[in-house]
Amino acid sequence: QKEVEQDPGPLSVPEGAIVSLNCTYSNSAFQYFMWYRQYSRKGPELLMYTYSSGNKEDGRFTAQVDKSSKYISLFIRDSQPSDSATYLCAMSQGNEKLTFGTGTRLTIIP
Amino acid sequence: GAGVSQSPRYKVAKRGQDVALRCDPISGHVSLFWYQQALGQGPEFLTYFQNEAQLDKSGLPSDRFFAERPEGSVSTLKIQRTQQEDSAVYLCASSRRWSGGNEQFFGPGTRLTVL
C-alpha cells in the first residue's frame, strides 16, 4: 500500500461548480502538506502549502488538513475551464523529499 | 525572477546510451531535488542536495543513476547504459532551506524516451 493515496479520477464537473479533491496518507510523521497543479507536459506548480492541521484559503482555493484522520482536501470554488489539469497532493516530514499522490485529472466543462 | 530551468526538454536515446540531464535551480536556493515521473503517476523522489552535498540518494533506482552538484548550483543527473524502463519525465525542484518549511518549486522537466 502506498504512503499517500489519491483517487486518479478522471473527474469532470461543470463550470462554476465546487470541486473537492482529497488524499489520505499513512505516515503520521508528515508535517507539511502541499497541493500542486500540473498541466499537460509541464512541471508541477505549487498551489497551496500548509503546515500541520487546519485550513488555508487563497482566492478560490481552500486547503484543509486533518492530521487526526490523516486526510487532506483541496476545494476549488467557482471552477473555470483553466482549472482543468492534474492535481497532485504532496507531503513531507521536513526539509527533504516530498511524497506524492498519483494525481487526480480534473476537467471543467464549459 | 527566473524559475527552475531544465535542459534538454526532450531527449531520445537508444538503449545502452548514456544521457546527462541538467538543472538550473532558482538563484539562492540551497536545496535541490530530482524526481522521476512515470506516465499517469505522481513524481517519485530520486535524490536531494543541500548546496554541493548529496544528503539523500535513496531513491536512485540503480547504480546506473548518478547525480552531482559540484558547486552547489547547477546539477546534472546522469543515466548510464539507458534501459527502456528509464523512459519517464525527470523533474528538478529547488527550495530555500529554512527551519520550518519545504516549499519546492519545479522545473518543466526533461522527457526521456529510450528506444
Side-chain angles (χ1 to χ4, degrees):
Chain A
Q1 187 174 359
K2 289 189 173 184
E3 274 190 296
V4 180
E5 297 282 354
Q6 183 176 11
D7 186 339
L11 179 63
S12 295
V13 300
E15 183 176 355
I18 296 175
V19 176
S20 173
L21 304 167
N22 54 74
C23 290
T24 59
Y25 63 96
S26 57
N27 187 348
S28 57
F30 287 141
Q31 297 281 350
Y32 301 94
F33 302 91
M34 286 137 275
W35 286 95
Y36 285 85
R37 178 174 63 195
Q38 187 173 29
Y39 291 113
S40 181
R41 296 186 177 267
K42 301 288 186 183
E45 172 194 7
L46 183 62
L47 275 181
M48 300 290 284
Y49 175 87
T50 54
Y51 168 71
S52 195
S53 286
N55 294 359
K56 184 175 183 179
E57 187 174 321
D58 184 1
R60 296 184 296 111
F61 299 90
T62 299
Q64 290 184 350
V65 175
D66 182 349
K67 289 191 69 180
S68 63
S69 301
K70 298 190 181 68
Y71 187 89
I72 70 170
S73 301
L74 177 71
F75 298 95
I76 308 174
R77 291 183 298 280
D78 187 24
S79 55
Q80 305 294 312
S82 58
D83 295 329
S84 298
T86 295
Y87 289 79
L88 296 155
C89 64
M91 45 201 80
S92 73
Q93 297 182 41
N95 289 335
E96 26 52 51
K97 67 180 180 181
L98 298 180
T99 301
F100 283 85
T102 305
T104 299
R105 178 181 284 186
L106 173 67
T107 301
I108 306 299
I109 304 166
Chain B
V4 178
S5 62
Q6 293 186 246
S7 61
R9 290 293 315 279
Y10 302 91
K11 177 69 178 178
V12 178
K14 292 183 179 178
R15 190 162 59 93
Q17 277 186 328
D18 297 348
V19 298
L21 313 180
R22 176 187 169 106
C23 173
D24 283 84
I26 294 171
S27 177
H29 277 196
V30 170
S31 298
L32 185 146
F33 302 80
W34 284 98
Y35 293 84
Q36 180 190 61
Q37 187 173 26
L39 188 65
Q41 301 296 314
E44 297 272 350
F45 170 78
L46 293 176
T47 187
Y48 157 50
F49 291 85
Q50 188 173 304
N51 294 308
E52 69 277 6
Q54 189 173 19
L55 298 187
D56 186 350
K57 54 181 181 180
S58 62
L60 296 176
S62 77
D63 59 6
R64 296 185 295 104
F65 287 71
F66 172 77
E68 60 183 4
R69 194 185 185 200
E71 297 179 357
S73 179
V74 171
S75 177
T76 303
L77 176 67
K78 298 179 180 178
I79 309 174
Q80 297 177 323
R81 304 182 303 282
T82 52
Q83 304 295 313
Q84 284 190 321
E85 61 263 28
D86 299 335
S87 296
V89 175
Y90 291 85
L91 294 163
C92 176
S94 70
S95 72
R96 286 189 296 264
R97 184 179 184 273
W98 54 289
S99 61
N102 191 17
E103 295 173 276
Q104 295 185 21
F105 298 91
F106 282 80
T110 294
R111 182 175 297 270
L112 173 64
T113 303
V114 181
L115 303 177

